[in-house]
Amino acid sequence: LWVEMQRSREFIFDVQQTDSGNTLFTEDEQSRIEAQLQEIAKQLKEKFELTKEQAERIDEWRDEVAEASTRMGRKDWLIYLLGTITALIITATVTAGVGEHILTMVIHGLGHLFTGGEPPRILEWIG
């Protein structure tokens, strides 16, 4: 957990230092974001005993974050994403540990959109 938290901090620092600006995502990137968010939601439902209400809230979260990627610049979207993960934790939709897993999956699956490099395959569950 501590290693993943350090990687998350390093990722956010790297994004702040990257000179990519706040450009919009391409349609291909938006599709990749949507696919990764679908996989995250699927894995959460499979790995944790979520109530119907929690599962519905995860689906709402996934749809809202995917839609936001079609209209927000990448840095603004990342800030929005971090805020929505925090909101999932604060509203007790997920535990802090699950929130950390969501963030880890996003960073590993979509980090290349912010720092360059080759996109990885859609990630399976980490941890």
Side-chain angles (χ1 to χ4, degrees):
L1 178 63
W2 293 112
V3 171
E4 285 303 324
M5 289 178 69
Q6 181 60 34
R7 286 183 189 157
S8 297
R9 281 189 223 124
E10 290 170 1
F11 168 76
I12 292 169
F13 178 79
D14 289 346
V15 169
Q16 291 172 336
Q17 303 305 312
T18 302
D19 195 26
S20 66
N22 196 29
T23 58
L24 294 175
F25 294 109
T26 65
E27 286 184 22
D28 183 55
E29 290 171 330
Q30 292 169 16
S31 294
R32 189 145 188 85
I33 289 168
E34 185 173 351
Q36 184 66 48
L37 294 172
Q38 288 281 358
E39 183 62 26
I40 291 169
K42 176 184 166 206
Q43 293 293 329
L44 290 175
K45 291 173 189 176
E46 289 175 359
K47 300 289 181 183
F48 299 96
E49 294 181 22
L50 301 177
T51 65
K52 181 180 177 188
E53 183 179 323
Q54 288 172 313
E56 288 173 355
R57 182 62 192 117
I58 294 294
D59 288 340
E60 290 171 9
W61 166 82
R62 177 201 62 219
D63 294 344
E64 289 171 8
V65 173
E67 188 279 327
S69 74
T70 67
R71 59 181 165 75
M72 298 176 94
R74 57 191 71 231
K75 288 186 178 181
D76 289 340
W77 182 82
L78 181 60
I79 293 167
Y80 175 76
L81 171 73
L82 296 173
T84 62
I85 293 170
T86 302
L88 287 174
I89 296 166
I90 291 171
T91 61
T93 300
V94 299
T95 65
V98 174
E100 180 67 29
H101 281 298
I102 294 170
L103 179 59
T104 299
M105 290 181 75
V106 168
I107 289 171
H108 287 282
L110 300 173
H112 70 284
L113 298 176
F114 302 94
T115 59
E118 291 296 314
R121 64 178 175 73
I122 298 299
L123 282 179
E124 297 298 321
W125 184 251
I126 297 174

PDB file of all heavy atoms in Angstrom, residues 19 62 113 119 124:
ATOM      1  N   ASP A  19       4.755  19.055 -19.776  1.00  0.00           N
ATOM      2  CA  ASP A  19       4.423  20.252 -20.548  1.00  0.00           C
ATOM      3  C   ASP A  19       3.332  19.979 -21.584  1.00  0.00           C
ATOM      4  O   ASP A  19       3.271  20.635 -22.607  1.00  0.00           O
ATOM      5  CB  ASP A  19       5.689  20.790 -21.230  1.00  0.00           C
ATOM      6  CG  ASP A  19       5.512  22.200 -21.752  1.00  0.00           C
ATOM      7  OD1 ASP A  19       4.669  22.933 -21.205  1.00  0.00           O
ATOM      8  OD2 ASP A  19       6.206  22.551 -22.719  1.00  0.00           O
ATOM      9  N   ARG A  62     -18.701   5.868 -12.795  1.00  0.00           N
ATOM     10  CA  ARG A  62     -18.038   5.488 -14.050  1.00  0.00           C
ATOM     11  C   ARG A  62     -18.567   6.320 -15.219  1.00  0.00           C
ATOM     12  O   ARG A  62     -17.797   6.878 -15.994  1.00  0.00           O
ATOM     13  CB  ARG A  62     -18.286   3.994 -14.302  1.00  0.00           C
ATOM     14  CG  ARG A  62     -17.721   3.490 -15.608  1.00  0.00           C
ATOM     15  CD  ARG A  62     -18.392   2.203 -16.061  1.00  0.00           C
ATOM     16  NE  ARG A  62     -19.817   2.454 -16.296  1.00  0.00           N
ATOM     17  CZ  ARG A  62     -20.793   1.616 -15.992  1.00  0.00           C
ATOM     18  NH1 ARG A  62     -20.541   0.461 -15.418  1.00  0.00           N
ATOM     19  NH2 ARG A  62     -22.047   1.923 -16.253  1.00  0.00           N
ATOM     20  N   LEU A 113      -1.593   8.724 -20.700  1.00  0.00           N
ATOM     21  CA  LEU A 113      -2.298   9.861 -21.301  1.00  0.00           C
ATOM     22  C   LEU A 113      -1.782  11.200 -20.771  1.00  0.00           C
ATOM     23  O   LEU A 113      -2.024  12.237 -21.370  1.00  0.00           O
ATOM     24  CB  LEU A 113      -3.802   9.757 -21.034  1.00  0.00           C
ATOM     25  CG  LEU A 113      -4.514   8.540 -21.608  1.00  0.00           C
ATOM     26  CD1 LEU A 113      -5.972   8.545 -21.178  1.00  0.00           C
ATOM     27  CD2 LEU A 113      -4.385   8.489 -23.116  1.00  0.00           C
ATOM     28  N   PRO A 119       0.503   2.965 -24.330  1.00  0.00           N
ATOM     29  CA  PRO A 119      -0.607   2.554 -23.471  1.00  0.00           C
ATOM     30  C   PRO A 119      -0.502   1.083 -23.112  1.00  0.00           C
ATOM     31  O   PRO A 119      -0.158   0.254 -23.951  1.00  0.00           O
ATOM     32  CB  PRO A 119      -1.838   2.812 -24.331  1.00  0.00           C
ATOM     33  CG  PRO A 119      -1.354   2.823 -25.727  1.00  0.00           C
ATOM     34  CD  PRO A 119       0.076   3.265 -25.681  1.00  0.00           C
ATOM     35  N   GLU A 124      -6.282  -5.644 -15.429  1.00  0.00           N
ATOM     36  CA  GLU A 124      -7.059  -6.504 -14.552  1.00  0.00           C
ATOM     37  C   GLU A 124      -6.847  -5.976 -13.146  1.00  0.00           C
ATOM     38  O   GLU A 124      -6.057  -5.075 -12.916  1.00  0.00           O
ATOM     39  CB  GLU A 124      -6.584  -7.945 -14.692  1.00  0.00           C
ATOM     40  CG  GLU A 124      -6.789  -8.520 -16.071  1.00  0.00           C
ATOM     41  CD  GLU A 124      -8.252  -8.589 -16.485  1.00  0.00           C
ATOM     42  OE1 GLU A 124      -9.106  -8.915 -15.641  1.00  0.00           O
ATOM     43  OE2 GLU A 124      -8.544  -8.301 -17.656  1.00  0.00           O
TER      44      GLU A 124
END
